[in-house]
């Protein structure tokens, strides 16, 4: 099938914002496409050529794509850059430039969907010697046979930004509509396989019966089940009837897949981090029987046996070189809390059963643990508070409150699993600058550069850019105040006299060379304007340091 046909569909999808219309357009196309091409079309409609959890990536930055466009059209890179600036995106710029050059069109042979898909995949798999120039050669091959609109979408898929307003939900609905399948069946098949290309193919070939047979497969990560904030410990447990409460460790969530001899570890966003943590692979293999399984846990970094800040573990899992050194410097511990597959799917079992399976099969060690837990009901409610106090005293984030009778449902955030954290203390800071927002909030200053006082040299030190978290009225007031104290304005940036004091909340203090304080904050938001406070009341870098150490 011609690639132009898919591109026409993309154009119609961009032309409407209505979800139902988009679903209809896609459903009609899915019905028309042959078996082989269908999974390719599904992935490309999501701007992908590999499932989202795949390790493969094209590895070509925007600069290189711009150079390829310049080469194919015969213009300078500066011309392409100008056009990208004007259009706001590489794809639209490519389309525009192709039009300009229409009279000198090269001999063009019609691209097929299969050809484009396979070539885009090939870009990702090229490695080793001169890999960049070999990747570029493939891009040139595609672009030189493409029309302007085709080039628009080829370049957008390479940078994984298709801009047609289609997400997984619309694709699922379109599959249901095209092949006459109950929405809940398509949803469950997607939830278990995390591969919409496969779901579409099975829906077309085997209908509902085939989809119902799809199951979890070790090796293919599934979206994790997410937690909601608990509204108090006791309330939440009483609402559930009974609960499994567990220590909430502050690290990263990992999903571990073992299939045959191969063990892979994925993050919450389904990135494969196995290579960065080789020692964990060995520990985990020792801890489990030699069967296929999918388990989940929280991996934390420790020093002298105590959990250390979350950022160290991020650095560890992102590391590509000198891994041996990192293994020595940042020891990891794993706290297992769930099992989704052991010899067969276990995710439909209630949590208390899954926990039993986990406890029966795992041999814990100095590195591999089971999450600390307590079974709570109305008779021992105080034990939940005790677990919370102990968790905090030992440097953890809080507790999880889980419904013991619920199955594991991938990708949902619901009342089946709650989190209860200790709120970090707020900080009082002074605003020294800001940036205007975009879109509806273009007239408001949307983020604020805030600072603390450094007692050593009595100077203000920048700490973070803070998003507002405020209603429009307070935001307007704050913007007025900012204008009143304005010192300079450059583009969307503004500097102000240090007059406005804000109380801010955040999730964690982290070390940061980017800010003068030497530290910054994760997820900072403005809680309120502290008109009752002045510059001499703001918090100090010294207090922040103590809080960080604490
Ligand atoms: P949050 O990241 O604040 O939404 O909290 C939910 C996260 O807490 C999960 O995604 C896990 O990464 C993490 N977590 C830590 N300990 C546990 C535990 N015992 N059970 C489940 N999740 C946990």
């Amino acid at each position: 099938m011609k690639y132009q046909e898919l591109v026409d569909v993309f154009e119609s999808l961009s032309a409407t914002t209505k979800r139902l219309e988009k679903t209809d357009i896609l459903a009609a196309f899915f019905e028309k496409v042959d078996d082989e091409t269908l999974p390719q079309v599904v992935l490309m409609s999501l701007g992908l050529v590999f499932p989202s959890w795949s390790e493969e990536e094209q590895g070509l930055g925007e600069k290189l794509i711009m150079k390829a466009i310049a080469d194919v059209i015969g213009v300078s890179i500066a011309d392409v850059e100008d056009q990208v600036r004007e259009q706001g995106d590489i794809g639209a710029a490519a389309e525009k430039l192709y039009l300009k050059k229409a009279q000198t069109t090269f001999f063009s042979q019609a691209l097929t969907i299969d050809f484009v898909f396979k070539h885009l995949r090939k870009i990702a798999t090229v490695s080793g010697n001169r890999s960049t120039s070999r990747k570029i050669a493939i891009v040139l091959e595609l672009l030189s046979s493409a029309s302007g609109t085709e080039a628009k979408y080829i370049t957008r898929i390479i940078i994984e930004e298709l801009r047609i307003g289609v997400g997984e939900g619309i694709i699922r609905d379109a599959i249901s509509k095209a092949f006459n399948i109950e929405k809940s069946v398509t949803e469950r098949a997607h939830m278990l396989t995390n591969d919409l290309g496969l779901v579409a193919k099975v829906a077309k070939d085997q209908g509902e019966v085939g989809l119902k047979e799809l199951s979890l497969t070790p090796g293919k990560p599934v979206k994790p089940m997410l937690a909601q904030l608990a509204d108090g410990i006791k309330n939440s447990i009483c609402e559930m009837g009974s609960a499994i409460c567990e220590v909430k460790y502050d690290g990263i969530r990992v999903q571990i897949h073992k299939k045959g001899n191969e063990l892979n570890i994925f993050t919450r966003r389904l990135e494969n981090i196995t290579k960065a943590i080789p020692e964990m692979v060995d520990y985990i293999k020792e801890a489990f029987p030699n069967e296929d399984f999918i388990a989940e846990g929280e991996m934390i970094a420790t020093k002298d046996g105590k959990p250390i800040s979350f950022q160290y573990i991020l650095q560890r899992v992102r590391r590509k070189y000198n891994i041996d050194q990192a293994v020595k410097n940042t020891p990891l511990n794993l706290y297992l809390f769930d099992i989704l597959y052991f010899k067969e799917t276990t995710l439909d079992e209630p949590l208390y059963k899954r926990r039993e399976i986990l406890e029966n099969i795992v041999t814990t060690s100095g590195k591999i643990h089971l999450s600390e837990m307590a079974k709570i009901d109305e008779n021992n409610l105080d034990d939940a508070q005790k677990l919370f106090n102990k968790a905090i005293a030992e440097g953890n984030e809080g507790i999880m409150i889980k419904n013991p009778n619920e199955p594991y449902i991938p990708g949902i955030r619901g009342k089946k699993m709650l989190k209860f954290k200790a709120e970090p203390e707020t900080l009082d800071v002074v605003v020294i600058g800001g940036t205007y927002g975009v879109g509806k909030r273009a007239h408001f200053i949307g983020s604020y550069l805030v600072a603390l006082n450094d007692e050593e040299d009595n100077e203000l030190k920048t700490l973070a850019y803070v998003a507002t978290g405020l209603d429009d009225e307070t935001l307007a007031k704050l913007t007025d105040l900012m204008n009143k104290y304005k010192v300079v304005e450059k583009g969307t940036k503004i500097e102000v006299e240090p007059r406005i004091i804000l109380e801010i909340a955040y999730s964690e203090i982290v070390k940061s060379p980017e800010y003068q304080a030497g530290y910054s904050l994760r997820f900072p938001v403005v809680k309120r304007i502290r008109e009752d406070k002045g510059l001499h009341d703001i918090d100090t870098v010294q207090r922040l340091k103590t809080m960080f150490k604490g």
Side-chain angles (χ1 to χ4, degrees), residues 227 246-249 253 268 298 337 371 400 402 413 417 419 421:
E246 296 174 28
V247 170
K248 184 178 193 308
Y249 302 92
R253 181 162 183 170
R268 172 189 177 132
E298 188 83 354
F337 54 73
S371 62
M400 305 295 294
K402 303 180 182 178
R413 187 187 291 282
M417 178 157 103
K419 54 188 174 187
K421 301 197 225 182

Side-chain angles (χ1 to χ4, degrees), residues 3 6 10 13 26 29-30 33 35-54 56 58 113 116-118 120-121 153 156-158 160-164 166-168 170-172 175 190 193-201 220:
Y3 182 57
L6 177 61
F10 288 166
L13 290 167
L26 275 170
F29 193 60
F30 289 173
V33 173
D35 281 22
E36 295 306 307
T37 319
L38 182 61
Q40 301 177 342
V41 163
V42 167
L43 280 181
M44 285 206 265
S45 304
L46 289 165
L48 304 170
V49 283
F50 294 100
S52 51
W53 44 265
S54 162
E56 309 282 1
Q58 264 130 344
I113 295 177
V116 173
F117 183 83
K118 290 196 174 134
L120 289 174
R121 276 202 159 183
Y153 291 106
R156 284 184 181 173
I157 292 178
I158 298 175
E160 291 186 3
E161 256 190 55
L162 198 57
R163 296 173 170 233
I164 57 170
V166 168
E168 292 181 335
I170 291 181
I171 301 270
R172 274 199 307 262
I175 295 172
H190 178 215
T193 60
N194 213 358
D195 186 345
L196 279 172
L198 175 73
V199 172
K201 191 166 164 24
K220 277 188 171 187

